Amino acid sequence: MDAKTPTGRRKPPRTPKGRQVDPAALAEVQALLTDRPRRRDLLIEHLHLIQDRYGSLSAGHLAALAQEMKLALTEVYEVATFYAHFDVVKDGAPPPAVTVRVCDSLSCAMAGAEKLLADLPGKLGRQVRVVRAPCMGACDRAPVAAVGHVQTFRATPDTIAAAAKAKPHAHAYKPGADFAAYQKAGGYALLKACLDGTRRRDELIEIVSDAGLRGMGGAGFPTGRKWQLVRAEPAPRLFAVNADEGEPGTFKDRHYLERDPHRFIEGMLIAAFVVEAPETYLYIRDEYPEIRLMLADEIAKVEAAGLAAHTKLHLRRGAGAYICGEESAMIESIEGKRGLPRHRPPYVAQVGLFGRPTLEQNVETLFWVRDIVEKGAAWATSQGRHERKGFRSFSVSGRVKNPGVKLAPAGITARELIGEFCGGMTEGHEFKAYLPGGASGGILPAKMADIPLDFGTLEPHGCFVGSHAVVVLSDQDDMKAVALNLMKFFEDESCGQCTPCRAGTEKAAKLMAQGPWDVSLLTELSAAMRDASICGLGQAAPNPLLCVLKYFPEELSKPLGTW
């Protein structure tokens, strides 16, 4: 029975209701936050501070952070548990000091990821946790594993074991950017001409429009048109830059950021000038810690040189969520929330970040702005094949001799790309099929490898070029296993907001794994996902499955293969 006073009334509780804040945990959180603002949109950044320092997120630290930020504990907990890179301690026992994440997405699976996952626990012992992870943006160097945040390329049990004995949480990088050298070679001259009034906004919009510059994150929306739409909205307008490429098979943004970051930064600052955005948010995936640190250093140099006075730059860190590559989910994450896609309309250009009209652009799109404006639209359209104009960056991985980012003419075919830019197929492998646009772009057989790879050319065949991630498959790859690998990726990465995607991907993966494949049921399930999912993840998840049903019917009766 409850304790009562002599008068019969219930005694007041000795402590407030709910989880109590441990003074020691509160002191530790305050020491980490120091004088940083306690704004809601910085919640994910503050969670990273705690995770980086203590290796996990304890109940005590989460409660202390909620009190410090004046948020309900549920608001903090739902965000911390949404993102894969946050380790929330649920049973009182923190995870092992070292975590090894092994990429099991398609290119890495083809290169031996499953064997790594099987061999590593015995090799590393119980003091090291081995977990599966989605694409890490290094498909051309598969298989890939991350020890802490440090990636090991073409990984073996021995190289991973050596990395685990080093400093797995180190975020060291080798400075490759040279601000002075970039300026000496003419860099930032165009930006300065914009800021001093020599170049006009309408002029820049006209040039990129005539050049046919499009969004290279997957949607392919004309860049000049997007700039016009955002400029037509009332001020203040904001700018969000998507550096969260997570589509399996895609690594072109990483390629350009590693090799020429200032060309991207200048393009970003020019776009901010065009739409008159007083604030710019650069959202970069957590799988690229060395690039994030490099960009922080280089942006500081640009700001110190007075080149970013027209827009305040904010660098935001993702936390392991493929869905945040979707523009509205990324905006939710920048605001410190779970990355749940928004219903539309209204569109991001109308109501975006913090409720303001927002320009959203991909890294590669911004990378080409300077060259296009300086060299002219004719330069950009001078290349192209099969009645297409321009050039495209293809991330090529899989069964080719020379994988990597290939800058090729727009409209090139998969057969031409493999033969002319990748040195042909790997020895002992015969070209069988290819993914023209990453995990969501579908699968086509080799007999259809003469279709131009560009926006609008593949849709009649149930596919699309998307982010131009081409994964090449051979006669040694089982198409049912390929489709199952991709469906499991979508199952893991579904944000869970809508039932067709959340339940549909899970059910499809189970049906595909159990077999035999029920074509009628899988087709009906795919139609429900396509028609009723909120965003492109659920709508595109069935594409590989449907392509196997359509183009590889002879394999349906075979047992499920493995790598």
Side-chain angles (χ1 to χ4, degrees):
M1 295 180 63
D2 293 336
K4 296 183 178 180
T5 64
T7 61
R9 294 180 178 178
R10 183 178 298 169
K11 290 183 179 180
R14 298 176 62 182
T15 59
K17 290 183 179 181
R19 190 183 299 274
Q20 303 308 302
V21 176
D22 176 34
L26 180 60
E28 289 170 344
V29 168
Q30 290 173 335
L32 286 173
L33 298 186
T34 59
D35 59 351
R36 292 178 174 85
R38 269 58 167 174
R39 299 195 316 268
R40 168 62 193 263
D41 63 288
L42 293 173
L43 173 57
I44 294 173
E45 297 296 311
H46 296 343
L47 288 169
H48 274 304
L49 288 174
I50 299 172
Q51 172 95 12
D52 289 346
R53 172 63 179 83
Y54 294 101
S56 61
L57 299 173
S58 68
H61 284 144
L62 291 177
L65 182 62
Q67 176 172 302
E68 191 68 14
M69 296 188 70
K70 295 181 173 57
L71 295 173
L73 181 56
T74 54
E75 294 180 275
V76 175
Y77 190 82
E78 70 176 5
V79 172
T81 55
F82 180 85
Y83 295 92
H85 289 188
F86 289 142
D87 283 316
V88 178
V89 178
K90 299 178 181 178
D91 57 5
V98 178
T99 294
V100 174
R101 290 182 168 87
V102 179
C103 175
D104 69 350
S105 290
L106 183 57
S107 296
C108 285
M110 294 162 62
E114 292 300 326
K115 191 174 189 312
L116 274 180
L117 285 161
D119 294 347
L120 282 175
K123 176 80 172 179
L124 301 176
R126 286 185 291 181
Q127 299 304 311
V128 177
R129 179 178 56 164
V130 179
V131 298
R132 294 176 178 270
C135 186
M136 297 181 184
C139 316
D140 55 333
R141 293 169 281 182
V144 184
V147 183
H149 277 290
V150 180
Q151 292 186 5
T152 298
F153 307 123
R154 300 182 180 88
T156 66
D158 289 337
T159 59
I160 293 172
K165 291 180 181 178
K167 295 180 179 179
H169 293 290
H171 297 324
Y173 71 94
K174 297 178 181 179
D178 191 328
F179 177 54
Y182 180 79
Q183 280 194 299
K184 186 176 181 180
Y188 292 109
L190 175 59
L191 174 63
K192 291 176 182 177
C194 292
L195 298 179
D196 67 17
T198 304
R199 305 300 292 262
R200 297 176 294 103
R201 293 179 174 88
D202 290 343
E203 174 194 5
L204 269 59
I205 291 174
E206 182 179 358
I207 293 172
V208 299
S209 297
D210 291 345
L213 181 63
R214 306 178 73 158
M216 303 308 296
F221 193 86
T223 300
R225 177 64 176 152
K226 181 179 281 191
W227 287 0
Q228 286 178 319
L229 289 172
V230 174
R231 276 185 53 76
E233 296 293 327
R237 297 175 285 272
L238 302 179
F239 185 16
V241 180
N242 191 338
D244 191 55
E245 61 176 356
E247 181 79 11
T250 306
F251 46 91
K252 59 186 178 60
D253 290 351
R254 179 181 197 157
H255 172 88
Y256 288 121
L257 288 174
E258 286 178 340
R259 286 157 178 77
D260 200 353
H262 282 285
R263 196 170 300 269
F264 154 72
I265 294 172
E266 183 171 9
M268 176 174 64
L269 293 173
I270 290 170
F273 160 79
V274 170
V275 299
E276 298 178 86
E279 294 190 80
T280 297
Y281 290 79
L282 172 54
Y283 186 91
I284 186 164
R285 67 186 311 211
D286 200 32
E287 288 82 353
Y288 297 168
E290 71 289 348
I291 294 177
R292 175 174 52 82
L293 292 171
M294 176 270 291
L295 286 174
D297 285 351
E298 299 308 313
I299 286 173
K301 296 174 185 176
V302 170
E303 290 175 327
L307 296 171
H310 61 296
T311 186
K312 182 174 176 57
L313 297 172
H314 305 269
L315 188 61
R316 291 295 175 85
R317 177 181 174 184
Y322 165 74
I323 190 63
C324 290
E326 196 275 338
E327 60 177 5
S328 65
M330 178 187 71
I331 283 174
E332 290 286 302
S333 190
I334 292 173
E335 293 180 355
K337 307 171 190 173
R338 294 176 294 167
L340 303 181
R342 297 176 179 177
H343 292 271
R344 61 194 77 187
Y347 295 94
V348 166
Q350 301 164 311
V351 181
L353 191 56
F354 306 119
R356 300 306 310 163
T358 302
L359 173 67
E360 189 275 339
Q361 298 268 230
N362 161 263
V363 166
E364 192 201 348
T365 302
L366 299 172
F367 183 88
W368 293 116
V369 166
R370 175 194 163 190
D371 283 320
I372 287 173
V373 175
E374 288 185 342
K375 298 178 181 179
W379 168 80
T381 58
S382 61
Q383 299 187 52
R385 295 185 186 179
H386 308 295
E387 300 181 354
R388 316 299 290 190
K389 291 184 178 181
F391 50 82
R392 301 285 186 264
S393 301
F394 293 90
S395 304
V396 186
S397 62
R399 310 298 191 182
V400 294
K401 288 182 180 178
N402 303 313
V405 174
K406 312 297 180 180
L407 187 63
I412 193 172
T413 68
R415 199 180 309 278
E416 292 168 340
L417 186 65
I418 294 169
E420 298 176 32
F421 290 82
C422 302
M425 297 291 292
T426 302
E427 292 296 334
H429 290 262
E430 182 180 338
F431 184 29
K432 178 180 180 179
Y434 66 105
L435 279 66
S440 56
I443 308 172
L444 290 173
K447 65 183 180 182
M448 298 177 67
D450 298 311
I451 301 171
L453 296 174
D454 205 7
F455 299 108
T457 61
L458 300 166
E459 283 78 357
H461 308 286
C463 299
F464 54 81
V465 76
S467 59
H468 293 72
V470 178
V471 183
V472 181
L473 308 172
S474 79
D475 56 339
Q476 299 183 27
D477 298 313
D478 178 86
M479 293 300 104
K480 291 170 67 178
V482 169
L484 178 58
N485 176 281
L486 300 173
M487 187 61 74
K488 285 183 175 179
F489 168 79
F490 290 121
E491 177 191 4
D492 290 339
E493 293 299 320
S494 172
C495 74
Q497 180 178 193
C498 67
T499 302
C501 177
R502 180 186 66 249
T505 52
E506 179 185 9
K507 185 66 174 178
K510 285 183 179 179
L511 292 171
M512 295 164 71
Q514 291 171 356
W517 284 20
D518 185 327
V519 175
S520 177
L521 181 57
L522 287 170
T523 301
E524 182 180 359
L525 180 59
S526 297
M529 294 166 62
R530 277 184 159 181
D531 294 343
S533 295
I534 290 174
C535 81
L537 191 155
Q539 294 163 10
N543 286 349
L545 163 62
L546 293 172
C547 284
V548 171
L549 297 179
K550 182 177 181 180
Y551 298 117
F552 303 93
E554 70 281 358
E555 299 205 11
L556 300 182
S557 59
K558 299 178 182 178
L560 184 65
T562 59
W563 285 286

